[in-house]
Every structure is written in C-alpha cells, then in structure tokens.
C-alpha cells in the first residue's frame, strides 16, 4: 500500500516489462525454431556451421562444379522429402 502511494506507476511498469520480455522471448524462440532455409544452386564455396542450426533443405540442392560445401561437426540439417510421383 505504501509503495503505491509513493510510486503508483511501479506496478504498471512491472506489467509492461513482463509483457515485453515474454513477447521478446517468443520472437527469439520462434526464430531459432525456423532455421535457415536452403535450396537451389550453390555457386560459391559455402560453410554450414552449428551456430546457424538448423538448416532446412526445402528444395533440390545443387553444388556446382568447383564449389565446395563444408559442413562442420554439430551442424543440423533437416531435409523435406519430395512427394512420390508415378
């Protein structure tokens, strides 16, 4: 009670900060879940590392001649399977 008389905005600030941090957590958390979508032609040397996990191969991936794709230990790669056709 005394706290509200001294600073009535304190509880409003706490609510705002709580909502802000919850929102920030969900934004950051969802970006980690999404990962980096890759596909198409790699036309230059490329290194995939665990700091950008996971890599999501969403379409055919071609590594052009004279191009190197280096995959570092600990890198997570998820590949979407193509639908079967007759």
């Amino acid at each position: 009670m005394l706290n509200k008389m001294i600073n009535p905005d304190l509880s409003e600030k706490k609510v705002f900060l709580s909502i802000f941090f919850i929102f920030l957590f969900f934004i950051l958390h969802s970006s980690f879940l999404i990962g980096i979508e890759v596909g198409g032609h790699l036309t230059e040397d490329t290194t995939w590392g665990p700091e950008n996990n996971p890599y999501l191969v969403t379409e055919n991936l071609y590594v052009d001649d004279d191009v190197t794709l280096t995959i570092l230990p600990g890198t997570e790669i998820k590949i979407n399977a193509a639908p079967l056709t007759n």
Side-chain angles (χ1 to χ4, degrees):
M1 181 84 162
L2 179 62
N3 190 20
K4 287 187 176 184
M5 289 179 6
I6 295 172
N7 190 352
D9 295 331
L10 185 61
S11 61
E12 292 175 8
K13 288 179 184 177
K14 286 182 180 179
V15 169
F16 173 78
L17 287 175
S18 298
I19 292 171
F20 173 76
F21 284 115
I22 291 170
F23 178 74
L24 185 63
F25 171 78
F26 282 113
I27 294 296
L28 293 176
H29 185 67
S30 65
S31 68
F32 291 125
L33 293 176
I34 295 172
I36 297 177
E37 293 185 1
V38 293
H41 289 269
L42 291 180
T43 58
E44 58 185 32
D45 292 346
T46 305
T47 301
W48 292 356
E51 64 276 359
N52 295 318
N53 279 341
Y55 290 85
L56 307 173
V57 181
T58 57
E59 60 180 284
N60 291 336
L61 180 67
Y62 302 95
V63 180
D64 289 348
D65 292 337
D66 300 325
V67 173
T68 301
L69 171 60
T70 304
I71 302 172
L72 299 177
T75 303
E76 296 176 16
I77 301 170
K78 298 181 179 185
I79 301 171
N80 289 334
L84 294 174
T85 59
N86 290 333

